[in-house]
Amino acid sequence: MNTAQLIAILSTAIATATPLVFACVGETLTERAGVINLSAEGTIMLAAMTGFATAKLTGNLWLGFLAAAAVGAGFALIVAFGSISLKGSQIAIGFVLALLGADLSSFLGNPFVRIPGPTVPSWPIPFLRDVPLLGPLLFRGDLLVYASYVLIVGTWFFFYCTRPGLMLRAIGEQPAAAFARGTDVIFWRYFYTLLGGSLLGIAGAAFSLDFKAGWSHRHTAGYGWIALAIVIFGGWNPLRAALGAYLFGILQSFAGVAQTTIRAVPTQVFTVAPFVLMISVLVLTSGEWWEYGLRGIPPRVRRWIQQTVKATPPAALGQVFEPD
């Protein structure tokens, strides 16, 4: 494999991962606020259909993204109202919405199956696109790709370098303490749940209007669950979650190459392999027994690996908050 082929594979991986970056950052925001939005699968699928249908009917690409974000915010509002105000089970509400969104996307999207529609145009950045190695890899994409870079860095900076970011982490870790210091926990949980849901919706539109342009039944099947898994793998850190999304993109890119070069293996194996490998990595890094493999490593290095790989969820994740 020469350098040009490797750059082509990695560029494809970045394009593949871009919708997942929006989804993972959105879910990270929601879960950092203490709410589990398990509707990601259905949200992404219904938003992908809605975004494509809106863009096709109106001829306006950005109205498609706006409609998709509205779908994501609408599902997130149901999760927030049911779990925060009505104090229902976040898991049950999200799971039902995941099923509902998937079925609705197939039913409502039937007229739009496999028809051409608008797509996000490529927009190479002048001068930067000609930088050796980095130019073809990072700066020959489209506006969504560049927006994902800004989203990753901006969210990380917001989390760890700003006072509102500290407040967000507080309402997911110690909501009672945050409330005692004057933070309106209920309002901000609603806000970040809707914001995260909107990003899930944008992720759906990014699939149907960019990465997998068009619409078909179950067009984005599996990606919502993968996004939820990557958030856990990323330790509820937007930067690590984005790295997880790019890892999944690389796995899919190499699977695509292997599918054309190793013809003796059924194509279904390569289609499923990235999902299986990503879940396997999650299992390996989440279990306690994986640490046995680190016993021969010097203690200082072992502690660094454990702190880097192992992560704990926000302490109040999924818990109902009742102001005193």
Side-chain angles (χ1 to χ4, degrees), residues 78-100:
I78 296 173
V79 172
F81 180 72
S83 60
I84 298 174
S85 297
L86 300 183
K87 300 178 175 57
S89 169
Q90 296 178 11
I91 302 298
I93 295 169
F95 187 71
V96 169
L97 287 175
L99 298 178
L100 176 64

Side-chain angles (χ1 to χ4, degrees), residues 122-131 135-136 138-141 143 146:
S122 177
W123 193 58
I125 299 178
F127 304 110
L128 291 178
R129 66 185 178 185
D130 299 321
V131 175
L138 299 177
F139 303 115
R140 294 187 182 178
L143 286 175
Y146 306 141

